[in-house]
PDB file of all heavy atoms in Angstrom:
ATOM      1  N   ALA A   1      34.647 168.563 101.602  1.00 98.00           N
ATOM      2  CA  ALA A   1      34.039 169.699 102.302  1.00 98.00           C
ATOM      3  C   ALA A   1      32.612 169.371 102.728  1.00 98.00           C
ATOM      4  O   ALA A   1      32.153 169.800 103.795  1.00 98.00           O
ATOM      5  CB  ALA A   1      34.069 170.928 101.404  1.00 98.00           C
ATOM      6  N   THR A   2      31.899 168.609 101.906  1.00 98.00           N
ATOM      7  CA  THR A   2      30.536 168.187 102.266  1.00 98.00           C
ATOM      8  C   THR A   2      30.570 167.299 103.496  1.00 98.00           C
ATOM      9  O   THR A   2      29.742 167.443 104.414  1.00 98.00           O
ATOM     10  CB  THR A   2      29.873 167.457 101.089  1.00 98.00           C
ATOM     11  OG1 THR A   2      29.834 168.320  99.955  1.00 98.00           O
ATOM     12  CG2 THR A   2      28.471 167.008 101.447  1.00 98.00           C
ATOM     13  N   TRP A   3      31.522 166.352 103.525  1.00 98.00           N
ATOM     14  CA  TRP A   3      31.652 165.493 104.702  1.00 98.00           C
ATOM     15  C   TRP A   3      31.921 166.337 105.949  1.00 98.00           C
ATOM     16  O   TRP A   3      31.340 166.081 107.017  1.00 98.00           O
ATOM     17  CB  TRP A   3      32.777 164.478 104.514  1.00 98.00           C
ATOM     18  CG  TRP A   3      32.921 163.536 105.678  1.00 98.00           C
ATOM     19  CD1 TRP A   3      32.276 162.341 105.852  1.00 98.00           C
ATOM     20  CD2 TRP A   3      33.726 163.728 106.848  1.00 98.00           C
ATOM     21  NE1 TRP A   3      32.630 161.780 107.054  1.00 98.00           N
ATOM     22  CE2 TRP A   3      33.526 162.613 107.689  1.00 98.00           C
ATOM     23  CE3 TRP A   3      34.589 164.732 107.258  1.00 98.00           C
ATOM     24  CZ2 TRP A   3      34.158 162.477 108.919  1.00 98.00           C
ATOM     25  CZ3 TRP A   3      35.233 164.609 108.491  1.00 98.00           C
ATOM     26  CH2 TRP A   3      35.019 163.486 109.305  1.00 98.00           C
ATOM     27  N   CYS A   4      32.780 167.333 105.838  1.00 98.00           N
ATOM     28  CA  CYS A   4      33.073 168.199 106.985  1.00 98.00           C
ATOM     29  C   CYS A   4      31.807 168.902 107.470  1.00 98.00           C
ATOM     30  O   CYS A   4      31.560 169.016 108.676  1.00 98.00           O
ATOM     31  CB  CYS A   4      34.135 169.234 106.616  1.00 98.00           C
ATOM     32  SG  CYS A   4      35.789 168.561 106.380  1.00 98.00           S
ATOM     33  N   SER A   5      30.999 169.371 106.524  1.00 98.00           N
ATOM     34  CA  SER A   5      29.751 170.038 106.889  1.00 98.00           C
ATOM     35  C   SER A   5      28.783 169.066 107.561  1.00 98.00           C
ATOM     36  O   SER A   5      28.166 169.381 108.588  1.00 98.00           O
ATOM     37  CB  SER A   5      29.108 170.640 105.634  1.00 98.00           C
ATOM     38  OG  SER A   5      27.826 171.160 105.922  1.00 98.00           O
ATOM     39  N   LEU A   6      28.658 167.876 106.992  1.00 98.00           N
ATOM     40  CA  LEU A   6      27.781 166.862 107.585  1.00 98.00           C
ATOM     41  C   LEU A   6      28.284 166.443 108.962  1.00 98.00           C
ATOM     42  O   LEU A   6      27.492 166.227 109.891  1.00 98.00           O
ATOM     43  CB  LEU A   6      27.704 165.645 106.663  1.00 98.00           C
ATOM     44  CG  LEU A   6      26.855 165.821 105.396  1.00 98.00           C
ATOM     45  CD1 LEU A   6      27.186 164.749 104.376  1.00 98.00           C
ATOM     46  CD2 LEU A   6      25.370 165.781 105.760  1.00 98.00           C
ATOM     47  N   ALA A   7      29.605 166.311 109.107  1.00 98.00           N
ATOM     48  CA  ALA A   7      30.176 165.921 110.399  1.00 98.00           C
ATOM     49  C   ALA A   7      29.921 166.982 111.452  1.00 98.00           C
ATOM     50  O   ALA A   7      29.710 166.673 112.639  1.00 98.00           O
ATOM     51  CB  ALA A   7      31.675 165.672 110.249  1.00 98.00           C
ATOM     52  N   THR A   8      29.931 168.246 111.042  1.00 97.00           N
ATOM     53  CA  THR A   8      29.649 169.329 111.975  1.00 97.00           C
ATOM     54  C   THR A   8      28.211 169.252 112.467  1.00 97.00           C
ATOM     55  O   THR A   8      27.919 169.551 113.632  1.00 97.00           O
ATOM     56  CB  THR A   8      29.899 170.688 111.284  1.00 97.00           C
ATOM     57  OG1 THR A   8      31.261 170.746 110.854  1.00 97.00           O
ATOM     58  CG2 THR A   8      29.619 171.839 112.221  1.00 97.00           C
ATOM     59  N   GLU A   9      27.320 168.809 111.604  1.00 96.00           N
ATOM     60  CA  GLU A   9      25.898 168.760 111.960  1.00 96.00           C
ATOM     61  C   GLU A   9      25.501 167.453 112.642  1.00 96.00           C
ATOM     62  O   GLU A   9      24.710 167.451 113.595  1.00 96.00           O
ATOM     63  CB  GLU A   9      25.046 168.955 110.707  1.00 96.00           C
ATOM     64  CG  GLU A   9      23.545 168.939 110.973  1.00 96.00           C
ATOM     65  CD  GLU A   9      22.746 169.362 109.752  1.00 96.00           C
ATOM     66  OE1 GLU A   9      23.206 170.252 109.027  1.00 96.00           O
ATOM     67  OE2 GLU A   9      21.649 168.800 109.543  1.00 96.00           O
ATOM     68  N   HIS A  10      26.075 166.317 112.179  1.00 97.00           N
ATOM     69  CA  HIS A  10      25.602 165.013 112.645  1.00 97.00           C
ATOM     70  C   HIS A  10      26.623 164.233 113.472  1.00 97.00           C
ATOM     71  O   HIS A  10      26.302 163.158 113.983  1.00 97.00           O
ATOM     72  CB  HIS A  10      25.196 164.145 111.441  1.00 97.00           C
ATOM     73  CG  HIS A  10      24.048 164.693 110.657  1.00 97.00           C
ATOM     74  ND1 HIS A  10      22.746 164.660 111.110  1.00 97.00           N
ATOM     75  CD2 HIS A  10      24.010 165.307 109.439  1.00 97.00           C
ATOM     76  CE1 HIS A  10      21.942 165.215 110.208  1.00 97.00           C
ATOM     77  NE2 HIS A  10      22.692 165.618 109.185  1.00 97.00           N
ATOM     78  N   GLY A  11      27.848 164.719 113.586  1.00 96.00           N
ATOM     79  CA  GLY A  11      28.896 163.958 114.264  1.00 96.00           C
ATOM     80  C   GLY A  11      29.858 163.368 113.248  1.00 96.00           C
ATOM     81  O   GLY A  11      29.554 163.258 112.059  1.00 96.00           O
ATOM     82  N   THR A  12      31.005 162.948 113.726  1.00 96.00           N
ATOM     83  CA  THR A  12      32.076 162.534 112.814  1.00 96.00           C
ATOM     84  C   THR A  12      32.024 161.061 112.423  1.00 96.00           C
ATOM     85  O   THR A  12      32.805 160.629 111.578  1.00 96.00           O
ATOM     86  CB  THR A  12      33.444 162.824 113.450  1.00 96.00           C
ATOM     87  OG1 THR A  12      33.554 162.106 114.685  1.00 96.00           O
ATOM     88  CG2 THR A  12      33.621 164.317 113.713  1.00 96.00           C
ATOM     89  N   LEU A  13      31.145 160.280 113.030  1.00 96.00           N
ATOM     90  CA  LEU A  13      31.067 158.844 112.729  1.00 96.00           C
ATOM     91  C   LEU A  13      29.869 158.594 111.819  1.00 96.00           C
ATOM     92  O   LEU A  13      28.750 158.348 112.261  1.00 96.00           O
ATOM     93  CB  LEU A  13      30.962 158.035 114.022  1.00 96.00           C
ATOM     94  CG  LEU A  13      32.074 158.291 115.048  1.00 96.00           C
ATOM     95  CD1 LEU A  13      31.846 157.459 116.315  1.00 96.00           C
ATOM     96  CD2 LEU A  13      33.441 157.973 114.455  1.00 96.00           C
ATOM     97  N   TRP A  14      30.133 158.649 110.509  1.00 96.00           N
ATOM     98  CA  TRP A  14      29.011 158.651 109.575  1.00 96.00           C
ATOM     99  C   TRP A  14      28.239 157.344 109.552  1.00 96.00           C
ATOM    100  O   TRP A  14      27.012 157.334 109.367  1.00 96.00           O
ATOM    101  CB  TRP A  14      29.485 159.021 108.170  1.00 96.00           C
ATOM    102  CG  TRP A  14      30.462 158.079 107.533  1.00 96.00           C
ATOM    103  CD1 TRP A  14      31.815 158.144 107.595  1.00 96.00           C
ATOM    104  CD2 TRP A  14      30.155 156.939 106.728  1.00 96.00           C
ATOM    105  NE1 TRP A  14      32.385 157.113 106.879  1.00 96.00           N
ATOM    106  CE2 TRP A  14      31.387 156.359 106.326  1.00 96.00           C
ATOM    107  CE3 TRP A  14      28.969 156.357 106.285  1.00 96.00           C
ATOM    108  CZ2 TRP A  14      31.457 155.226 105.531  1.00 96.00           C
ATOM    109  CZ3 TRP A  14      29.030 155.223 105.490  1.00 96.00           C
ATOM    110  CH2 TRP A  14      30.258 154.670 105.111  1.00 96.00           C
ATOM    111  N   GLU A  15      28.900 156.223 109.754  1.00 94.00           N
ATOM    112  CA  GLU A  15      28.191 154.931 109.689  1.00 94.00           C
ATOM    113  C   GLU A  15      27.279 154.721 110.885  1.00 94.00           C
ATOM    114  O   GLU A  15      26.233 154.084 110.763  1.00 94.00           O
ATOM    115  CB  GLU A  15      29.199 153.782 109.590  1.00 94.00           C
ATOM    116  CG  GLU A  15      29.604 153.440 108.176  1.00 94.00           C
ATOM    117  CD  GLU A  15      30.287 152.088 108.083  1.00 94.00           C
ATOM    118  OE1 GLU A  15      31.228 151.849 108.851  1.00 94.00           O
ATOM    119  OE2 GLU A  15      29.888 151.279 107.231  1.00 94.00           O
ATOM    120  N   THR A  16      27.665 155.242 112.029  1.00 93.00           N
ATOM    121  CA  THR A  16      26.901 154.976 113.251  1.00 93.00           C
ATOM    122  C   THR A  16      26.065 156.165 113.719  1.00 93.00           C
ATOM    123  O   THR A  16      25.136 155.977 114.511  1.00 93.00           O
ATOM    124  CB  THR A  16      27.846 154.557 114.395  1.00 93.00           C
ATOM    125  OG1 THR A  16      28.885 155.538 114.526  1.00 93.00           O
ATOM    126  CG2 THR A  16      28.498 153.218 114.105  1.00 93.00           C
ATOM    127  N   GLN A  17      26.363 157.384 113.247  1.00 95.00           N
ATOM    128  CA  GLN A  17      25.655 158.564 113.744  1.00 95.00           C
ATOM    129  C   GLN A  17      24.754 159.221 112.704  1.00 95.00           C
ATOM    130  O   GLN A  17      23.781 159.885 113.070  1.00 95.00           O
ATOM    131  CB  GLN A  17      26.668 159.612 114.241  1.00 95.00           C
ATOM    132  CG  GLN A  17      27.470 159.169 115.463  1.00 95.00           C
ATOM    133  CD  GLN A  17      28.505 160.210 115.880  1.00 95.00           C
ATOM    134  OE1 GLN A  17      28.972 161.002 115.071  1.00 95.00           O
ATOM    135  NE2 GLN A  17      28.859 160.210 117.158  1.00 95.00           N
ATOM    136  N   TRP A  18      25.039 159.057 111.417  1.00 98.00           N
ATOM    137  CA  TRP A  18      24.277 159.778 110.395  1.00 98.00           C
ATOM    138  C   TRP A  18      23.035 158.998 109.955  1.00 98.00           C
ATOM    139  O   TRP A  18      23.022 157.758 109.991  1.00 98.00           O
ATOM    140  CB  TRP A  18      25.146 160.005 109.165  1.00 98.00           C
ATOM    141  CG  TRP A  18      26.340 160.881 109.351  1.00 98.00           C
ATOM    142  CD1 TRP A  18      26.859 161.354 110.528  1.00 98.00           C
ATOM    143  CD2 TRP A  18      27.186 161.374 108.314  1.00 98.00           C
ATOM    144  NE1 TRP A  18      27.970 162.111 110.288  1.00 98.00           N
ATOM    145  CE2 TRP A  18      28.200 162.145 108.941  1.00 98.00           C
ATOM    146  CE3 TRP A  18      27.198 161.248 106.927  1.00 98.00           C
ATOM    147  CZ2 TRP A  18      29.207 162.786 108.204  1.00 98.00           C
ATOM    148  CZ3 TRP A  18      28.185 161.873 106.197  1.00 98.00           C
ATOM    149  CH2 TRP A  18      29.177 162.643 106.831  1.00 98.00           C
ATOM    150  N   PRO A  19      22.012 159.720 109.499  1.00 97.00           N
ATOM    151  CA  PRO A  19      20.866 159.030 108.881  1.00 97.00           C
ATOM    152  C   PRO A  19      21.324 158.200 107.682  1.00 97.00           C
ATOM    153  O   PRO A  19      22.260 158.574 106.963  1.00 97.00           O
ATOM    154  CB  PRO A  19      19.961 160.190 108.439  1.00 97.00           C
ATOM    155  CG  PRO A  19      20.355 161.346 109.306  1.00 97.00           C
ATOM    156  CD  PRO A  19      21.815 161.176 109.570  1.00 97.00           C
ATOM    157  N   GLN A  20      20.666 157.074 107.458  1.00 97.00           N
ATOM    158  CA  GLN A  20      21.066 156.142 106.407  1.00 97.00           C
ATOM    159  C   GLN A  20      21.141 156.812 105.034  1.00 97.00           C
ATOM    160  O   GLN A  20      22.016 156.509 104.218  1.00 97.00           O
ATOM    161  CB  GLN A  20      20.083 154.965 106.360  1.00 97.00           C
ATOM    162  CG  GLN A  20      20.447 153.873 105.366  1.00 97.00           C
ATOM    163  CD  GLN A  20      21.706 153.113 105.744  1.00 97.00           C
ATOM    164  OE1 GLN A  20      21.932 152.879 106.927  1.00 97.00           O
ATOM    165  NE2 GLN A  20      22.517 152.741 104.757  1.00 97.00           N
ATOM    166  N   GLU A  21      20.232 157.751 104.777  1.00 98.00           N
ATOM    167  CA  GLU A  21      20.200 158.356 103.445  1.00 98.00           C
ATOM    168  C   GLU A  21      21.413 159.244 103.154  1.00 98.00           C
ATOM    169  O   GLU A  21      21.628 159.652 102.000  1.00 98.00           O
ATOM    170  CB  GLU A  21      18.914 159.174 103.266  1.00 98.00           C
ATOM    171  CG  GLU A  21      18.768 160.343 104.226  1.00 98.00           C
ATOM    172  CD  GLU A  21      17.996 159.967 105.494  1.00 98.00           C
ATOM    173  OE1 GLU A  21      17.935 158.751 105.815  1.00 98.00           O
ATOM    174  OE2 GLU A  21      17.454 160.885 106.143  1.00 98.00           O
ATOM    175  N   LEU A  22      22.224 159.525 104.179  1.00 98.00           N
ATOM    176  CA  LEU A  22      23.423 160.336 103.990  1.00 98.00           C
ATOM    177  C   LEU A  22      24.686 159.492 103.832  1.00 98.00           C
ATOM    178  O   LEU A  22      25.784 160.039 103.715  1.00 98.00           O
ATOM    179  CB  LEU A  22      23.606 161.306 105.160  1.00 98.00           C
ATOM    180  CG  LEU A  22      22.516 162.352 105.361  1.00 98.00           C
ATOM    181  CD1 LEU A  22      22.782 163.168 106.618  1.00 98.00           C
ATOM    182  CD2 LEU A  22      22.415 163.277 104.142  1.00 98.00           C
ATOM    183  N   HIS A  23      24.546 158.176 103.823  1.00 98.00           N
ATOM    184  CA  HIS A  23      25.717 157.301 103.734  1.00 98.00           C
ATOM    185  C   HIS A  23      26.323 157.264 102.336  1.00 98.00           C
ATOM    186  O   HIS A  23      27.491 156.903 102.184  1.00 98.00           O
ATOM    187  CB  HIS A  23      25.343 155.880 104.166  1.00 98.00           C
ATOM    188  CG  HIS A  23      25.138 155.758 105.641  1.00 98.00           C
ATOM    189  ND1 HIS A  23      25.090 154.541 106.297  1.00 98.00           N
ATOM    190  CD2 HIS A  23      24.969 156.692 106.607  1.00 98.00           C
ATOM    191  CE1 HIS A  23      24.903 154.744 107.593  1.00 98.00           C
ATOM    192  NE2 HIS A  23      24.812 156.045 107.799  1.00 98.00           N
ATOM    193  N   ASP A  24      25.553 157.637 101.327  1.00 97.00           N
ATOM    194  CA  ASP A  24      26.038 157.611  99.947  1.00 97.00           C
ATOM    195  C   ASP A  24      26.288 159.041  99.481  1.00 97.00           C
ATOM    196  O   ASP A  24      25.348 159.846  99.408  1.00 97.00           O
ATOM    197  CB  ASP A  24      25.000 156.941  99.045  1.00 97.00           C
ATOM    198  CG  ASP A  24      25.446 156.875  97.584  1.00 97.00           C
ATOM    199  OD1 ASP A  24      26.565 157.334  97.274  1.00 97.00           O
ATOM    200  OD2 ASP A  24      24.660 156.364  96.766  1.00 97.00           O
TER     201      ASP A  24
END
């Protein structure tokens, strides 16, 4: 559910779209 929330805010490609501190 956290990933879904983050994907809604930052996009669905976590390695290429999210800030580095959200990768873990």
Side-chain angles (χ1 to χ4, degrees):
T2 301
W3 182 89
C4 290
S5 173
L6 286 163
T8 301
E9 181 171 323
H10 297 286
T12 59
L13 305 178
W14 63 269
E15 272 196 309
T16 53
Q17 294 177 334
W18 296 10
Q20 184 67 37
E21 62 268 21
L22 297 176
H23 287 195
D24 180 1

